[in-house]
């Protein structure tokens, strides 16, 4: 039902009222599950209780409790408060059940400990309008609430939230003008790791037919490693890693416990290996039930052969983190050596630094890039280990399992700071959404903003994604392991052989999978 300035749609739980905005109808803050507090704390998401009357869906729901990092860049400072974390938002050209438009479901990133679907950078109006499709964004639990491996609770609660949101889409999206049989999930960074996880999860099978994974992070945790990390987190508060103990701490205070571990993670390098040198103590856990196997092994075994896939990365992934850490222009040869030994490819995942550990990785990189500076080696091995090679290998696993994958690289450099950040991690978000003056876009386009060149790259990027969601064809050939066709997005976009052949060969025998507890 539509009236001037407002539209009412009936979901399975009750009616919601959205607003007409810029040629679309937008619904914000629709609950897809009960608030995960009280006796629902640390449990799998529970179906939302039905309501009477019509619920206004004008405002985003509150963000899930999370650490303080990046809040000024992600719109969280002025975010609403409350326990209704598990909500979805819908942008639709027309909430007509007969329309049956393609549906895209966005999963935000943030190291599995940060993020909110209401962040201004995820305003989906340009995607919905340009692609003439329905876009859904969702919240999921983060940090300790969503990913800590604790006794008395299912693993990967944040992933289970995503499955519940996709079930909501299947049951309700037709009323918003979407086709539940044409759903594409897409996400960046931890959102891409979530997409990769969903491809491997039995509970997510059949909920979507296409997937886009932008900068897949490599670290996935074995059950033993995840439990050891959870014990270290709980110890920060003098607690045991159990649902009973951790439930005694308010969710908004518990985030500080996870945050307190961050500066101490390197103390655990002999137990956690490369994880101790990353920016997060949270990742999906290969627990054998919710996530039976790591995505690379699952896809190679055919778990997602019926799902069409786009996967790729940016050219200078790690340069964003180097800039945020004040490291640009400061890397010494000693720091490069430590990074190469920690993150370089070895005989298996999780090699710890130290005498006799990781020397193969250092030698391989120095031989492959003999003229590289310490800073280039430092950036290259981080980019390869954490994002680029896990992304490429996910595509190769999909092909090995009988599926189809398209591979891309974003090479166009962020304009801020004279281009010093290159095509860094996260640049694809403001380009895809067209949100150059919000969240990360504020940093990457600072003092420059949108330009004809940026708009052109943005349009090509967005058009490829929406075409894929509509037809399954993003506009370039599917990847194969002989020709390796890759779409490179730049000022002049081209299809070429995969552009990092040297790195690909360095990593071709590395076993991406669940990282072990070393001792």
């Amino acid at each position: 039902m539509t009236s001037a300035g407002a539209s009412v749609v009936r979901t399975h739980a009750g009616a919601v009222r959205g607003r007409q905005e810029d040629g679309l109808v937008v619904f914000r803050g629709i609950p897809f599950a009960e608030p995960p507090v009280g006796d629902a704390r640390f449990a799998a998401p529970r179906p939302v209780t039905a309501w009477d009357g019509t619920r206004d869906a004008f405002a985003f729901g509150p963000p899930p409790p999370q650490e303080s990092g990046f809040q000024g860049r992600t719109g969280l400072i002025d975010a609403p408060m409350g326990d209704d974390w598990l909500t979805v938002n819908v942008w639709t050209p027309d909430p007509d059940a007969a329309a049956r438009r393609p549906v895209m479901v966005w999963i935000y990133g943030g190291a599995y400990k940060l993020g909110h679907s209401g962040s201004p950078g995820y305003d989906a109006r340009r995607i919905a309008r340009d692609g003439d499709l329905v876009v859904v964004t969702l919240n999921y639990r983060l940090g300790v609430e969503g990913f800590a491996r604790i006794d008395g609770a299912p693993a990967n609660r944040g992933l289970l939230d995503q499955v519940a949101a996709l079930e909501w889409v299947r049951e309700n999206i037709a009323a918003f003008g979407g086709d539940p049989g044409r759903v594409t999930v897409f996400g960046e960074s931890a959102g891409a790791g979530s997409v990769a996880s969903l491809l491997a999860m039995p509970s997510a099978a059949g909920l979507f037919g296409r997937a886009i994974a932008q900068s897949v992070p490599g670290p996935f945790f074995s059950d033993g490693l995840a439990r050891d990390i959870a014990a270290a987190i709980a110890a920060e508060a003098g607690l045991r890693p159990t649902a009973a103990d951790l439930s005694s701490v308010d969710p908004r205070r518990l985030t500080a416990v996870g945050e307190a571990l961050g500066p101490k993670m390197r103390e655990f390098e002999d137990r956690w290996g490369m994880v101790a040198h990353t920016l997060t103590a949270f990742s999906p856990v290969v627990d054998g039930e919710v996530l039976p196997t790591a995505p690379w092994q699952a896809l190679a075994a055919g778990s997602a052969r019926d799902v069409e896939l786009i996967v790729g990365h940016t050219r200078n992934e790690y340069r964003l983190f180097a800039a945020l850490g004040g490291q640009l222009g400061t890397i010494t040869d000693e720091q490069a050596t430590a990074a190469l030994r920690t993150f370089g490819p070895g005989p298996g995942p999780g090699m710890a630094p130290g005498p006799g550990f990781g020397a193969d990785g250092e030698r391989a990189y120095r031989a492959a890039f003999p003229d590289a500076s310490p800073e280039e080696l430092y950036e290259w091995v981080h980019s390869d280990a954490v994002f680029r090679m896990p992304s490429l290998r996910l595509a190769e696993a999909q092909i090995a399992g009988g599926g189809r994958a398209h591979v891309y690289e974003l090479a166009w450099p962020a304009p801020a700071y004279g281009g010093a950040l290159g095509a860094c991690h996260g640049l694809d978000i403001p380009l895809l959404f067209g949100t150059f003056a919000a969240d990360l876009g504020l940093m990457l386009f600072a003092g420059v903003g949108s330009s004809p060149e940026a708009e052109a790259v943005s349009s090509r990027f967005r058009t490829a994604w929406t075409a894929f969601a509509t037809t399954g064809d993003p506009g370039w050939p599917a990847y194969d392991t002989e020709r390796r066709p890759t779409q490179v997005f730049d000022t002049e976009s081209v299809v070429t052989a995969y552009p990092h052949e040297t790195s690909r060969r360095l990593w071709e025998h590395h076993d991406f999978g669940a990282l072990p507890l070393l001792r």
Side-chain angles (χ1 to χ4, degrees), residues 185-187 192 195-196 211-216 309-313 391 394 408:
V185 293
F186 66 128
V195 169
I212 305 172
Q214 304 168 210
S215 301
V216 180
L309 176 65
I310 292 176
V311 62
H313 51 72
S391 298
L394 192 73
Y408 77 91

Side-chain angles (χ1 to χ4, degrees), residues 316-390:
N316 308 107
E317 288 279 3
Y318 199 75
R319 203 172 296 180
L320 173 70
F321 304 104
L324 292 173
Q327 295 178 308
L328 289 182
T330 71
I331 300 300
T332 65
D333 195 61
E334 290 75 14
Q335 288 172 306
T337 295
L340 292 169
R341 292 186 170 218
T342 301
F343 290 95
M351 294 292 287
F357 293 95
D360 288 344
E362 181 196 358
R363 284 193 292 266
Y365 262 84
R366 290 191 183 278
F369 303 102
D371 299 323
S373 68
E375 185 153 8
E376 288 170 332
L377 289 170
Y378 185 88
E379 177 194 321
W380 226 242
V381 73
H382 276 97
S383 294
D384 282 344
V386 182
F387 296 113
R388 292 196 309 209
M389 295 303 108

Side-chain angles (χ1 to χ4, degrees), residues 45 50 62 108 187 189 414 423 435:
Y108 54 71
S189 197
T435 49

Side-chain angles (χ1 to χ4, degrees), residues 389-450:
M389 295 303 108
S391 298
L392 179 65
R393 292 287 290 278
L394 192 73
E396 293 178 345
Q398 174 73 337
I399 295 164
R404 182 162 66 96
H406 297 262
V407 173
Y408 77 91
E409 178 180 72
L410 174 60
W412 185 78
Y417 312 110
L421 295 176
C424 65
H425 187 74
L427 176 61
D428 45 330
I429 297 174
L431 288 173
L432 175 59
F433 285 86
T435 49
F436 304 106
D439 300 349
L440 195 58
L442 286 170
M443 175 183 178
L444 302 182
F445 293 82
V448 180
S450 176

Side-chain angles (χ1 to χ4, degrees), residues 245-263:
D245 270 26
L246 294 172
S247 291
S248 67
V249 183
D250 182 272
R252 292 167 188 81
R253 291 182 51 236
L254 190 59
T255 60
V257 177
E259 193 165 5
L261 180 66

